[in-house]
């Protein structure tokens, strides 16, 4: 029986520096057994670097890190023996078949051949690749390769599975297949750690998450808590015909004082508000008439835009 | 040997064994490629040994013994086969796995360490080199070039050559950036093959060139294999062996350091 609130990963002021560039600038977090923990952030936010440090394939430059109550610096192999890793680029062995990718990988964990074959067959079933068992890896689609990488990460019955952007680059159908598998893992009680820049992914899969930006954690909590804390209940999306970017920014300035925060995007303006009807009335009072007005519940994406919104503005410049 | 130390040795070697197993599985479908490398050396033996040998006939060694040129050249070509087999396996194939296929990136997410990877690649290179050497020795025997049972010692001697060059090849693989770098390696290898004492005794070279030859790893391999297959033992063989072993250990150690630096980023 796993202990209640058993902590699998503990990081305090964790840092990673590459030359002059500090990729991770002092992050603190704890990951508990049984939870699905997410790292949300744009590219270059420091997510993958943090994953690599937890995976004991990157030495922290500062701070404190413990995985399974052990020190990655001295106990790397012992920690890795209990981890399952799905890297961003899969790193499947292209010289081997689908089935061999699993059995050979099992060998790296010291799993005996007979057990490895049984486990491999079982995992191929789980990721729905049994029919492709004898194929070369390069003949698989991107989604299948990712599923194979997920199966491979489970070969040692890990205590924690680390997935770095599990659905990046996959088509919508393939994404759903991956999500389905991950959801099933979660239900089996496997602890999952994933990075993503897809809000819907984080919202669907994560019990708890941190938002990273420029090497720092800028917010953490459950998806619901984050939405409650950082954005209003509702969001009104305003579009003004074909107007975009600078024209929209101009209009946005005229919206000051209406609702909560105003976020001009390239194609629309977001108005955060607790009451959409009030906002509509206020717009009418100022004689601002958008061509379309959409009222919806706030999502994690809004949290993300709110927290890192300026990044978009910088991108435009 | 106590049970504990046996267990320790086993625990140390098992991970590199699984790297070896991976290469075995990967190459199972490509044995023709592996074997074709050995054929090349046999062609050399025909061309130089029998072709040139038939024109040169017998030669007199610096110490006064007279032997056929073919028996003089054959052990050197054997040494060359051991070198090429392991050097190509470790340099080109390891480079491809390291930089192109990213095979090691996946492996290092397991309990395997860079040292296990490097050692596993050495075992595999030894097997590949061993296949070439085996093919070659059988051919030598078939052509009557093995003068005594002692000459079978050329086989274990070749293992030292294979060891040394797998260490060197591994290190080179971590330094290479693109395929053109291999042209440089092949140029050096060819120079060693031509001037490392394959076709003439070192004493035939001008004085200034001799120290260069002594540094060449292939020279030490050739001396060792030739001495053994001709039954001509000398204390210098100890130096040859030590030199080759030192290269093997240094190369493998250095390579795993380089792998760790490149992959543990």
């Amino acid at each position: 029986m796993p202990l209640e609130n058993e902590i699998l990963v503990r990081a305090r002021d964790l840092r990673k520096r590459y030359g002059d560039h500090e990729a991770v600038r002092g992050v603190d977090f704890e990951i508990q057994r049984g939870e699905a923990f997410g790292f949300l952030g744009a590219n270059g936010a420091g997510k993958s670097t943090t994953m690599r440090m937890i995976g004991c394939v990157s030495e922290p430059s500062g701070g404190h890190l413990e995985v399974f109550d052990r020190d990655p610096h001295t106990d790397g192999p012992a920690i890795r023996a209990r981890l399952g890793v799905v890297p961003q680029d899969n790193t499947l062995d292209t010289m081997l078949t689908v089935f061999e990718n699993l059995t050979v990988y099992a060998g790296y964990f010291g799993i005996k051949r007979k057990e490895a074959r049984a486990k491999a067959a079982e995992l191929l079933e789980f990721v729905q690749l049994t029919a492709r068992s004898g194929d070369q890896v390069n003949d698989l689609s991107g989604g299948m390769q990712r599923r194979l990488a997920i199966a491979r990460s489970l070969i040692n019955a890990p205590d924690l599975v680390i997935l770095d952007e599990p659905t990046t680059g996959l088509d919508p159908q393939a994404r759903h297949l991956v999500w389905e598998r991950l959801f099933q893992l979660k239900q089996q009680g496997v602890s999952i750690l994933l990075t993503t820049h897809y809000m819907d992914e984080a919202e669907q899969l994560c019990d708890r998450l941190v938002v990273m930006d420029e090497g720092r954690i800028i917010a953490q909590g459950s998806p619901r808590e984050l939405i409650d804390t950082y954005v209003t209940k509702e969001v009104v999306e305003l579009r003004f015909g074909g107007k975009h970017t600078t024209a929209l920014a101009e209009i946005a300035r005229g919206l000051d004082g209406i609702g909560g925060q105003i976020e001009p995007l390239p194609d629309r303006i977001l108005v955060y508000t607790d009451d959409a009807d009030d906002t509509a009335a206020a717009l009418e009072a100022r004689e601002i008439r958008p061509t379309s007005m959409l009222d919806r519940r706030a999502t994690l994406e809004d949290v993300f835009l709110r927290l890192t919104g300026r990044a978009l503005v910088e991108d435009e410049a | 040997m106590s049970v504990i130390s046996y267990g320790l040795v086993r625990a140390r070697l098992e991970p590199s064994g699984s790297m070896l197993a991976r290469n075995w599985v990967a190459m199972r479908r490509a044995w023709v490629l592996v074997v074709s490398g050995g054929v090349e050396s046999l062609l050399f033996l025909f061309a130089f040994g029998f072709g040139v040998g038939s024109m040169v006939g017998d030669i007199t060694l610096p110490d006064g013994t007279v032997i056929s040129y073919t028996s003089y050249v054959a052990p050197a070509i054997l040494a060359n086969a051991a070198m090429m087999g392991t050097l190509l396996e470790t340099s080109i194939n390891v480079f491809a796995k390291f930089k192109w296929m990213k095979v090691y990136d996946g492996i290092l997410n397991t309990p395997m360490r860079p040292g296990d990877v490097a050692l596993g690649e050495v075992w595999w290179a030894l097997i590949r080199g061993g296949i070439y050497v085996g093919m070659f020795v059988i051919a030598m025997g078939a052509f009557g070039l093995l003068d005594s049972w002692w000459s079978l010692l050329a086989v274990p001697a070749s293992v030292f050559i294979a060891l040394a060059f797998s260490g060197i090849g591994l290190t080179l693989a971590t330094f290479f950036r693109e395929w053109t770098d291999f042209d440089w390696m092949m140029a050096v290898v060819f120079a060693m093959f031509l001037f490392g004492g394959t076709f003439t005794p070192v004493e035939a070279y001008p004085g200034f060139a001799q120290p260069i030859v002594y540094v060449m790893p292939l020279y030490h391999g050739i001396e060792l294999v030739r001495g053994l297959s001709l039954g001509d033992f000398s204390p210098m063989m100890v130096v040859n062996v030590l030199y080759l072993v030192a290269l093997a250990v240094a190369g493998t150690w250095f390579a795993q350091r380089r792998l760790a630096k490149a992959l543990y980023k």
Side-chain angles (χ1 to χ4, degrees), chain A residues 81 83 102-120 123 151-158, chain B residues 10 14-15 18 21 110-112:
Chain A
L83 287 176
L102 299 182
T103 51
V104 166
Y105 208 72
Y108 303 142
F109 287 93
I111 297 169
K112 295 278 168 288
R113 199 183 317 175
K114 201 176 152 203
E115 195 190 332
R117 297 179 64 87
K119 188 85 189 173
L123 287 169
R152 191 185 63 172
S153 76
L154 299 171
I155 198 86
N156 57 329
Chain B
R10 204 177 128 162
E14 236 172 31
S18 55
T110 73
M112 300 272 287

Side-chain angles (χ1 to χ4, degrees), chain A residues 93 95-105 108 113 117 136, chain B residues 17-31 124:
Chain A
D93 198 325
M95 285 173 78
L96 305 178
T97 65
V98 169
F99 191 72
E100 287 164 354
N101 256 281
L102 299 182
T103 51
V104 166
Y105 208 72
Y108 303 142
R113 199 183 317 175
R117 297 179 64 87
Q136 292 295 307
Chain B
S18 55
M19 184 71 230
L20 174 63
R22 180 258 166 219
N23 289 335
W24 174 268
V25 174
M27 288 305 281
R28 239 181 353 199
R29 286 176 291 270
W31 273 112
W124 175 243

